[in-house]
Amino acid sequence: MARTAESVGFDSIWVGDHYLYRGDGRPERGPWEAWTLLAALAAVTDRVRLGPLVACLNFHEPAVLAKLAATVNEIAGGRLVFGMGAGWNRTEFDAFGIPYDHRASRFVEAFDIVRRLVRGERVSARGRWYSVGDAVLLPPSAAPPTLMVGSTGERVLAATLPVVEVWNTWFDWYGNTPEGFAAKGSEIDAACERAGRDPATLARSACVFVQLDGGTSERTPEPVVVPLRGSDDEMAARLHAMAGAGADEVILVCDPITEASVVKLGNVLAILRD
């Protein structure tokens, strides 16, 4: 699927950093571990950017996570987009013995360590949740990964917007429509200004939920939004409208996620390129 996505013209491939879903009225399920899978994808692709959508910083000790990310970035030749968030799915925290409390506070401490390490700094820090002593990533990276935050939380944005290159949001936050994304843009502008950043310097990435033939209710989002559907031309028009609404990038969350879906959406990409 990754090779097909690259061949039909996609710019990036993303994997979820989750361990387990249950208790939502759907079958118990979970994806493969994100960083192991990203390393494999890095080895079999040449052009596409790769990233976790998004990595939960609270799943790992921050210096260990920085080491994982730097290694994947090296395998990928600098193509890693290091998306980061604080996590939200309590089921997987509890099932895997990961503390769920104080997620924002833990994130802020972890983010400071991670972003400094992957940028080549030698880091010592002693916080309430995490401590490192003269940590450094060796061998040094030829180029650091792109840093992205996937959150709308006030404290997470305050910690990350001064330094990340990209901000990402899931489709339910803006209703999965260009109109909704445009209307919500002022909230991110305001967060940038509070963080002392020019909003125009932040790249904006939006997930878009797409449902194709063969899609099922298994991926129906909550709260329910209207999926992107229709002919190739209609889908291309709606995706083009996302750019007009302020999105620099759209990430397609597909139902179903199959190689046939990738090929189908490659036709939509061809229309957009024309």
Side-chain angles (χ1 to χ4, degrees), residues 165-177:
E165 289 94 338
V166 188
W167 163 82
N168 170 267
T169 185
W170 202 241
F171 48 77
D172 58 354
W173 182 71
Y174 69 93
N176 209 48
T177 67

Side-chain angles (χ1 to χ4, degrees), residues 18-41:
H18 287 285
Y19 295 155
L20 181 66
Y21 297 101
R22 66 156 70 109
D24 55 3
R26 292 180 281 179
E28 190 174 61
R29 64 209 185 278
W32 295 113
E33 196 281 320
W35 290 101
T36 311
L37 185 55
L38 284 167
L41 297 181

Side-chain angles (χ1 to χ4, degrees), residues 35-49:
W35 290 101
T36 311
L37 185 55
L38 284 167
L41 297 181
V44 300
T45 57
D46 299 307
R47 178 186 56 79
V48 289
R49 291 173 293 118

Side-chain angles (χ1 to χ4, degrees), residues 3 98 124 126 181 196 203 206 213 218 238 241 272:
R3 290 189 182 109
I98 302 166
S124 293
R126 182 168 297 278
F181 191 79
D213 291 343
E218 182 178 339
R238 292 296 282 179
L272 286 168

Side-chain angles (χ1 to χ4, degrees), residues 241-259:
M242 287 293 295
D248 299 291
E249 171 186 66
V250 293
I251 298 173
L252 304 184
V253 182
C254 306
D255 177 23
I257 302 177
T258 64
E259 188 172 1

Side-chain angles (χ1 to χ4, degrees), residues 193-207:
E193 290 165 358
R194 288 193 298 271
R197 179 177 187 150
D198 179 357
T201 65
L202 180 70
R204 305 185 189 211
S205 168
C207 295

Side-chain angles (χ1 to χ4, degrees), residues 212-234:
L212 304 172
D213 291 343
T216 69
S217 60
E218 182 178 339
R219 290 194 61 84
T220 299
E222 296 290 344
V224 174
V225 300
V226 177
L228 176 63
R229 298 190 183 101
S231 68
D232 292 352
D233 286 329
E234 289 169 335

